[in-house]
Amino acid sequence: MRAVVYERYGPPKVLRVENVDQPMPKANEVRIKIHATTVTRTDIGLRAGKPLIVRLFFGLLRPKQQILGTELAGEVEAIGAAVTRFAVGDHVFGSTPSFRTGAHAEYICLQENAPVAHKPAGMTFEEAAAVTDGVILALMCLEAAHVGKGHRIVVYGASGSIGTAGVQLAKYFGADVTAVCNTKNVDLVRSLGADRVIDYTKEDFTKNGETYDVIFDAVGKHSFSRCKGSLKRGGAYVATDGFRNLFLGMWTSRIGDKKVLFPIPPHYTQKNVIFLKELIEAGKYRAVIDRCYPLENVIEATRYVETQQKTGNVVLTVGAGPAG
């Protein structure tokens, strides 16, 4: 099968498409023919081996897992003898389990209880591939902050993969949402349900005198010190990047009335994917796709994601799959 392989940490040019052995499913596994996957912030960090702490889990000197990719959508092509939840021909979507990659390939084998579910009706494979990572990460952060009805929340970086998920989920949970993004994405973010949208090129939300229950930094570009004055007593700054926030989280849990939350490691579950499927089919969530690239153009796609200017998700199409 074709797969994107990297044997050393480094810039995008370390990636190459080559033929590798097709995986064989074990008794409790399904083999999925992948039709679409994505290039995420996680892929960028793993490929570069940064921050260095990721190498403790993925290989100190060189990557242990040489195929990147966590999100996927495709068709069940073979099943193990013990599998009962899926059948050959099922259209599925989801993610690899925590600390597992391998979706930048034509096929992948995953356990039956992996974070995978039947694809939402009416969704294309490209759309289905572009939802799980952002939603699961945003859901983990919003749940840590107990976001719910009546809460005022800022989603900073509201036009990215995690941010577009954060806006839609926060509204679903009943929060009052202020979304922060750049000029070109104001209308998009408003269409996702934000109660108000701030263009950060024209206004600094930390200086407008408003206070919030939660500030969710979906792009890892803000800081607790800068946001602290905009938090209500008992409020929380929720981080998605920067290991300094791990220590700030421990510190603020003991001192002060404003907290830093940094919910790691990410925990991908089938329950969350099924929840997402239900949201989509109820019309409460939609995918946001910036660009689609064929698998062979993975280096170009990766370089675009590294600009940190993508809107929503960047998709890799792996092969011509059946419609819907």
Side-chain angles (χ1 to χ4, degrees):
M1 69 174 185
R2 292 179 306 145
V4 179
V5 175
Y6 77 125
E7 296 176 341
R8 61 185 176 89
Y9 298 117
K13 66 181 181 181
V14 302
L15 302 171
R16 67 180 190 274
V17 178
E18 66 175 41
N19 289 320
V20 300
D21 291 338
Q22 188 179 120
M24 297 298 294
K26 299 176 182 177
N28 65 338
E29 291 183 336
V30 298
R31 183 167 67 208
I32 300 169
K33 179 177 176 58
I34 298 174
H35 295 312
T37 180
T38 60
V39 178
T40 67
R41 199 163 91 193
T42 298
D43 295 319
I44 299 301
L46 293 181
R47 190 215 68 237
K50 296 178 181 179
L52 291 177
I53 194 169
V54 306
R55 300 193 185 199
L56 295 178
F57 304 98
F58 291 92
L60 288 175
L61 300 179
R62 56 180 53 86
K64 295 178 181 177
Q65 301 178 60
Q66 296 185 349
I67 301 174
L68 291 171
T70 58
E71 292 183 284
L72 61 102
E75 183 177 353
V76 176
E77 191 260 352
I79 62 173
V83 171
T84 59
R85 184 178 180 85
F86 299 102
V88 172
D90 285 353
H91 291 184
V92 296
F93 81 120
S95 174
T96 58
S98 302
F99 301 106
R100 165 86 188 273
T101 61
H104 290 176
E106 289 186 307
Y107 295 91
I108 191 171
C109 286
L110 296 174
Q111 291 187 359
E112 183 178 23
N113 63 354
V116 173
H118 291 92
K119 183 170 68 67
M123 264 197 141
T124 66
F125 286 113
E126 290 80 7
E127 290 170 332
V131 287
T132 51
D133 187 66
V135 166
I136 289 176
L137 292 174
L139 183 63
M140 178 176 65
C141 291
L142 297 183
E143 288 181 339
H146 304 292
V147 172
K149 188 174 182 180
H151 287 170
R152 300 192 72 206
I153 180 174
V154 168
V155 179
Y156 186 84
S159 59
S161 174
I162 301 174
T164 54
V167 169
Q168 293 181 81
L169 289 173
K171 283 305 299 179
Y172 176 76
F173 292 142
D176 178 272
V177 179
T178 296
V180 182
C181 64
N182 61 13
T183 306
K184 72 172 185 175
N185 291 315
V186 167
D187 290 340
L188 166 69
V189 171
R190 186 175 287 117
S191 76
L192 298 178
D195 295 283
R196 63 199 60 80
V197 183
I198 294 175
D199 179 350
Y200 68 73
T201 68
K202 299 178 180 179
E203 179 184 347
D204 184 345
F205 81 91
T206 67
K207 296 179 179 179
N208 63 11
E210 298 288 334
T211 56
Y212 307 91
D213 299 289
V214 177
I215 296 175
F216 176 32
D217 183 2
V219 286
K221 292 184 178 180
H222 246 287
S223 66
F224 176 58
S225 60
R226 187 173 171 187
C227 295
K228 188 175 180 181
S230 298
L231 285 171
K232 296 180 180 180
R233 289 178 60 88
Y237 168 76
V238 187
T240 57
D241 206 350
F243 277 91
R244 68 187 180 281
N245 290 308
L246 179 61
F247 301 104
L248 283 171
M250 293 186 288
W251 177 261
T252 59
S253 68
R254 296 173 173 81
I255 297 175
D257 60 358
K258 299 174 183 181
K259 310 300 182 186
V260 173
L261 301 176
F262 189 32
I264 58 170
H267 189 49
Y268 298 83
T269 68
Q270 193 172 82
K271 178 181 177 182
N272 285 341
V273 178
I274 293 172
F275 166 69
L276 172 57
K277 169 183 163 65
E278 293 170 349
L279 277 187
I280 292 168
E281 292 184 334
K284 302 294 185 181
Y285 191 89
R286 65 183 174 94
V288 177
I289 296 175
D290 187 331
R291 299 182 182 184
C292 290
Y293 296 84
L295 187 71
E296 289 75 13
N297 290 4
V298 64
I299 292 177
E300 182 183 349
T302 298
R303 286 174 174 156
Y304 179 61
V305 173
E306 284 193 334
T307 66
Q308 299 184 0
Q309 296 301 312
K310 71 179 177 69
T311 300
N313 301 270
V314 171
V315 173
L316 293 177
T317 54
V318 184

